[in-house]
Amino acid sequence: MRGTFFVAPGVILCSLVCDLPAQNSAAQSQLIGTKLRGALVGSWVGTLEYRDYSEPATSVKRVKLPTWLTIAPSASDLNFFSIYDDGPEKAVTETSRISIDSVASRYDVMDSQGKVQESYSIAGLAELRNGRGTLILTGKGTENNAPVAVRLTIRISRNILEILRETAASGQPFTFRHAYTLIRESPPTSKG
């Protein structure tokens, strides 16, 4: 009876300790995801700069548009609502839903029905501090009706958000597609 009493707690303790790294890792990843979403939420203002595809293929002409971006939480996802000033009396709006799965290191862009339009793997989550830092997202996309590799570099600081999209046709190097440079719409507080 006495041997059973001592063995059972040891077995229980071993099963708890052996399972801790996996549980802590998932909990840590979830916390990183929560902080990342918190760092992105808010109203941002700045510019969208993009490569002008109305020019010949060899052109490197770029266009800049004033841009407003609001990122709002929606359950475990984020809603991105963008407004672009595209010329005299012309505003273009765009809405998308973003799902960030920090445990699986996935970043998905969905349409209004929840269908995944773009899917990326995320590198750099563990290096974030309070949701801030640099993430590199990689995935596949289409450009000019041809498949391309896509690389997004997202830099998040307290009051600056930069998103660089680069694409590469098969066997080609990555080239600039577009970039957002945004600051928080409201001035910073002394906290955070």
Side-chain angles (χ1 to χ4, degrees), residues 12-123:
I12 291 170
L13 179 61
C14 179
S15 67
L16 289 174
V17 170
C18 294
D19 212 20
L20 274 179
Q23 290 174 354
N24 282 343
S25 178
Q28 179 81 11
S29 292
Q30 288 173 343
L31 180 60
I32 288 169
T34 299
K35 289 184 176 190
L36 171 58
R37 286 186 289 278
L40 290 169
V41 167
S43 295
W44 303 86
V45 63
T47 59
L48 164 63
E49 180 179 11
Y50 63 91
R51 195 168 70 209
D52 189 352
Y53 278 95
S54 67
E55 296 287 317
T58 56
S59 174
V60 291
K61 181 180 176 186
R62 295 184 183 184
V63 176
K64 280 189 179 183
L65 298 178
T67 301
W68 293 261
L69 170 64
T70 301
I71 302 174
S74 173
S76 63
D77 297 332
L78 295 171
N79 287 326
F80 281 54
F81 179 71
S82 303
I83 301 173
Y84 308 99
D85 183 352
D86 197 18
E89 300 180 33
K90 184 179 178 191
V92 177
T93 62
E94 179 181 59
T95 302
S96 57
R97 196 167 93 210
I98 307 296
S99 173
I100 301 170
D101 183 340
S102 52
V103 175
S105 296
R106 299 297 309 166
Y107 181 104
D108 294 327
V109 180
M110 298 170 283
D111 65 15
S112 57
Q113 285 76 40
K115 182 179 176 190
V116 174
Q117 301 295 308
E118 300 172 37
S119 187
Y120 301 95
S121 62
I122 307 172

Side-chain angles (χ1 to χ4, degrees), residues 113-179:
Q113 285 76 40
K115 182 179 176 190
V116 174
Q117 301 295 308
E118 300 172 37
S119 187
Y120 301 95
S121 62
I122 307 172
L125 284 167
E127 289 78 30
L128 294 180
R129 297 296 171 250
N130 292 319
R132 299 177 186 133
T134 300
L135 298 174
I136 306 294
L137 284 58
T138 53
K140 296 178 181 179
T142 304
E143 194 170 276
N144 297 330
N145 297 318
V148 292
V150 178
R151 178 172 63 201
L152 295 173
T153 303
I154 302 175
R155 290 182 183 90
I156 309 153
S157 64
R158 185 173 84 160
N159 293 300
I160 298 173
L161 175 61
E162 298 172 305
I163 304 170
L164 170 65
R165 181 183 177 102
E166 299 169 293
T167 58
S170 179
Q172 298 298 311
F174 280 97
T175 59
F176 176 91
R177 178 62 186 101
H178 66 248

